[in-house]
Amino acid sequence: MASSRKRARGHEARISADDLTLNTWVLVAPSQKHVKVADRAMRETPALLVSKADEAGCVTVAYPNQLVLRHHFKGSALLLKQVPISDLRRYEGSKADEANLTAALKAMKAERQKDKDSESEAENDSESEAEDVLPATPQAATERSAPVTLSATPAACTASTGELLASPESMMPREACAAPCTPLRQAPPTPSGLPKVPDDSPAPKTPLRAQHTMLVSPSPPKMESMSKERLVHFTQMVSKSFRRLREQASPKRMTKQSLAEELEAEFAPWETDQGLAKLEEKNKIFVCGEVIFRT
């Protein structure tokens, strides 16, 4: 058993960049001599290759998180990690690996559904609060918005009781009520030394300003959206593609490239991307890197 593990970790089991195949199981064996405890545990855990190599020579692998699946730890059931190609080793997936991957996808689906339910409940609560604040009928709205008229004199305020009070002006003498007249101000006299400017003289001309043309940026192109009929047809085609994978162990999965090549005769690339995004929103599939899982 120990000798087979050593052979699996040896140089002959390494994967070159030309031999990388998406949707295959690999082992991650760090090339450093001093390896962390977490990396040692991951060395014994198979991972699924879900992306192609980037410019830095690294790929993304997906680990089923055993702590979440077995011990109900908080966190994602599927861990994504970027590793260099030189640390990858060949590995043949087993039934236990496929079962762990299926359990991880089911846990992620349940967590997503739980989040969606909580979001919908929050939206319903906010809508109910808004209905409580707003008036229920137009009549209530007009009653709330009707202006309140205040009486102009103290006599009108006490008219309901039958007692009329005299206004303050009537109680004051006439001499105090009459406001003193303010004399009109006269324009200051023009000094004799300055010439008088006639009123019909033209105003001085203002120099013309240079006119600047405003550059209006063109509006961004309107994004096309897939119609409901096209989305239904796209869902049916994706379901047929998954049904063709009869020999593949559960969970059923395929790459984005293979699906795009299969549907390129009926769907444009933007339709395929938009359709996958909508199916993932409905929790029907799970897109992990370049691999599509059926949940």
Side-chain angles (χ1 to χ4, degrees):
M1 186 68 178
S3 60
S4 62
R5 285 184 180 178
K6 289 181 180 179
R7 281 198 302 271
R9 298 174 192 169
H11 296 282
E12 67 277 8
R14 287 185 178 179
I15 302 176
S16 61
D18 299 333
D19 297 336
L20 286 177
T21 306
L22 288 174
N23 196 15
T24 55
W25 290 96
V26 292
L27 284 175
V28 179
S31 55
Q32 296 89 353
K33 293 182 179 179
H34 302 285
V35 184
K36 298 179 181 179
V37 177
D39 291 338
R40 291 177 188 174
M42 285 188 174
R43 176 183 290 180
E44 304 296 334
T45 305
L48 194 70
L49 186 63
V50 295
S51 77
K52 299 178 181 179
D54 55 10
E55 297 179 356
C58 296
V59 295
T60 304
V61 296
Y63 283 99
N65 194 342
Q66 301 297 335
L67 295 177
V68 174
L69 300 177
R70 296 180 182 178
H71 307 291
H72 305 288
F73 277 34
K74 292 184 179 180
S76 176
L78 207 63
L79 293 177
L80 299 178
K81 187 176 181 182
Q82 201 170 17
V83 296
I85 300 176
S86 58
D87 292 349
L88 297 181
R89 302 292 182 269
R90 298 183 184 277
Y91 179 79
E92 295 293 334
S94 62
K95 293 182 178 180
D97 302 327
E98 300 287 346
N100 291 334
L101 185 61
T102 304
L105 291 174
K106 287 182 178 180
M108 290 188 66
K109 183 176 181 179
E111 190 67 24
R112 284 186 173 187
Q113 190 64 36
K114 185 178 178 181
D115 295 340
K116 286 185 178 180
D117 294 341
S118 61
E119 289 178 1
S120 61
E121 289 178 0
E123 290 178 358
N124 294 334
D125 294 341
S126 61
E127 290 177 359
S128 61
E129 291 177 0
E131 291 176 358
D132 295 340
V133 173
L134 295 175
T137 60
Q139 184 178 0
T142 54
E143 290 178 358
R144 292 189 181 185
S145 59
V148 180
T149 57
L150 300 176
S151 57
T153 61
C157 297
T158 58
S160 60
T161 59
E163 297 176 1
L164 297 177
L165 297 178
S167 61
E169 289 130 359
S170 61
M171 299 175 66
M172 297 175 63
R174 291 184 178 181
E175 292 79 9
C177 292
C181 297
T182 305
L184 297 176
R185 293 183 179 180
Q186 298 180 356
T190 306
S192 59
L194 297 176
K196 293 185 178 180
V197 180
D199 297 338
D200 56 350
S201 60
K205 294 184 178 181
T206 305
L208 297 176
R209 295 182 180 180
Q211 296 182 356
H212 300 281
T213 57
M214 297 179 64
L215 298 177
V216 180
S217 58
S219 58
K222 189 176 181 180
M223 297 295 294
E224 300 182 38
S225 59
M226 182 183 292
S227 62
K228 292 183 179 179
E229 294 78 9
R230 295 285 291 172
L231 181 60
V232 171
H233 184 48
F234 180 81
T235 306
Q236 294 173 352
M237 296 300 294
V238 172
S239 181
K240 288 181 181 179
S241 300
F242 275 112
R243 282 200 297 269
R244 294 192 189 99
L245 305 174
R246 296 177 181 177
E247 299 180 356
Q248 190 182 74
S250 182
K252 306 295 183 184
R253 54 192 182 272
M254 67 177 71
T255 61
K256 283 184 178 180
Q257 183 177 358
S258 62
L259 180 65
E261 292 175 355
E262 189 174 348
L263 303 180
E264 64 180 355
E266 299 188 39
F267 295 94
W270 68 268
E271 286 183 305
T272 303
D273 295 338
Q274 198 173 110
L276 291 176
K278 290 186 177 181
L279 290 180
E280 191 172 15
E281 287 179 2
K282 294 181 179 180
N283 215 3
K284 294 183 178 294
I285 61 173
F286 172 61
V287 180
C288 184
E290 297 294 326
V291 180
I292 308 168
F293 295 89
R294 184 172 185 174
T295 55

